[in-house]
Amino acid sequence: MSECSHDCSKCSEKCASRDKSSFLAPQNPLSNVKHVIGIVSGKGGVGKSIVTSMLATIMQRRGYQSAVLDADITGPSIPRGFGLKPASVVGDENGMFPPKTKTGIEVMSLNLLVEEEAKPVVWRGPVIAGTVKQFWSEVVWNEVDYMFVDMPPGTGDVPLTVFQSLPLDGIIIVASPQELVSMIVSKAIKMANLMDINVLGLVENMSYFKCPDCGKEYKIFGDSNIEKLAEEYGIPLLARIPIDPRLTKLVDSGAIELFEGDYLENAADIIEKV
Ligand code: ADP
């Protein structure tokens, strides 16, 4: 065995420091989270947060208790979609209590702790990763059936630490057709494989736009190779979500829980079997 560089992403040795459990942050003693699903993307702005919010909503509609941990610390957009207000977290000696959405989904996000949502988070990587660990260890999550983690985008240092800190049952990768033709998605899949994390499937967002007048579908971002990619890596293609201005409107008005459409039912079926 060669000398350890402490960079597991560049090494395939099955050594003790690779033991996943050694990196896991402890769950709060008062929390009982049964399943943790990470929602991942190669870059920001592709719809990771909206997919996270919609999946949490579907599982809540199906009678489960959902929760969302917003680990996208530098671009936290989960509270806005659910209409949750800044500085709305209360706590006591046991930890912080996650605010609940209108349908009862528990949410924790940096934007729920700060007074000013628009202030940028100018923090170094370890501080960001430490905050995510605190959201897991110092938040009193109740009985949660499915927790969805809106992961920091990319395959850098921060997502790597978050991947190692939380007991993920699996991840769902969200991408737009543009990234699918590049290497970004392949990189995210390879990173998950390297870390022994189960990829539950791919979601293609902003796949097309359906003209409300004539019903014709337009591929605004061009054709994607998602089917080829899914086949190449043996990963299911879970959904193709169109560009739908009604979704943008619901997010902007804090009412994402009212979304209609069955785009993500397939993904929810897979999550139910985790
Ligand atoms: P990310 O979490 O990947 O940064 P978001 O989920 O915040 O991306 O989405 C970026 C923006 O695009 C948001 O304003 C969101 O409402 C909008 N958006 C995402 N997906 C769709 C879609 N399918 N149709 C319409 N608007 C969308």
Side-chain angles (χ1 to χ4, degrees):
M1 192 164 82
S2 55
E3 200 178 322
C4 181
S5 66
H6 302 287
D7 182 358
C8 297
S9 65
K10 293 189 181 124
C11 171
S12 56
E13 293 283 352
K14 296 264 181 210
C15 68
S17 56
R18 200 179 186 79
D19 174 11
K20 280 203 276 180
S21 58
S22 61
F23 292 105
L24 289 180
Q27 187 169 180
N28 186 291
L30 297 178
S31 299
N32 184 14
V33 181
K34 298 190 186 91
H35 298 291
V36 184
I37 314 290
I39 313 297
V40 171
S41 70
K43 66 179 178 79
V46 298
K48 182 172 51 64
S49 305
I50 203 171
V51 168
T52 306
S53 307
M54 285 160 78
L55 284 173
T57 301
I58 295 174
M59 296 316 268
Q60 192 79 3
R61 284 180 190 168
R62 289 189 182 189
Y64 298 104
Q65 176 62 55
S66 290
V68 178
L69 189 162
D70 189 356
D72 193 353
I73 302 292
T74 52
S77 48
I78 293 288
R80 188 171 60 113
F82 285 115
L84 293 169
K85 300 276 169 288
S88 55
V89 176
V90 289
D92 64 17
E93 67 280 5
N94 295 310
M96 297 174 275
F97 296 92
K100 286 193 174 188
T101 68
K102 295 170 200 81
T103 65
I105 301 168
E106 297 188 346
V107 179
M108 182 51 79
S109 168
L110 191 68
N111 265 7
L112 295 173
L113 292 166
V114 296
E115 297 279 347
E116 250 184 88
E117 278 177 300
K119 233 180 179 175
V121 177
V122 191
W123 293 351
R124 295 209 184 266
V127 180
I128 296 175
T131 307
V132 177
K133 285 188 203 172
Q134 282 181 294
F135 283 177
W136 175 249
S137 301
E138 293 177 27
V139 170
V140 182
W141 301 99
N142 293 309
E143 294 287 323
V144 172
D145 297 306
Y146 293 99
M147 171 183 279
F148 295 91
V149 182
D150 189 357
M151 300 287 276
T155 49
D157 178 45
V158 176
L160 183 79
T161 313
V162 174
F163 265 94
Q164 291 177 318
S165 309
L166 304 178
L168 295 168
D169 289 287
I171 58 163
I172 289 176
I173 300 176
V174 183
S176 68
Q178 266 178 324
E179 290 170 285
L180 283 160
V181 292
S182 73
M183 290 288 105
I184 298 179
V185 178
S186 305
K187 274 190 193 165
I189 299 171
K190 283 179 184 158
M191 174 169 162
N193 288 345
L194 260 171
M195 301 181 74
D196 263 343
I197 289 172
N198 189 14
V199 182
L200 301 173
L202 301 173
V203 169
E204 185 182 75
N205 189 29
M206 308 190 195
S207 299
Y208 57 92
F209 174 73
K210 192 170 180 177
C211 172
D213 300 324
C214 67
K216 194 172 167 199
E217 289 179 9
Y218 293 90
K219 292 188 174 166
I220 309 278
F221 295 118
D223 284 318
S224 87
N225 61 346
I226 193 158
E227 269 133 7
K228 204 169 139 251
L229 206 78
E231 201 184 306
E232 190 181 330
Y233 290 99
I235 299 168
L237 170 56
L238 300 175
R240 280 193 136 131
I241 308 175
I243 296 172
D244 184 345
R246 288 171 303 181
L247 289 177
T248 330
K249 221 172 172 179
L250 286 173
V251 168
D252 291 344
S253 59
I256 191 60
E257 286 161 293
L258 299 178
F259 83 91
E260 290 169 12
D262 56 2
Y263 311 124
L264 286 166
E265 292 299 325
N266 214 355
D269 291 345
I270 299 272
I271 289 166
E272 226 169 16
K273 291 189 196 122
V274 157

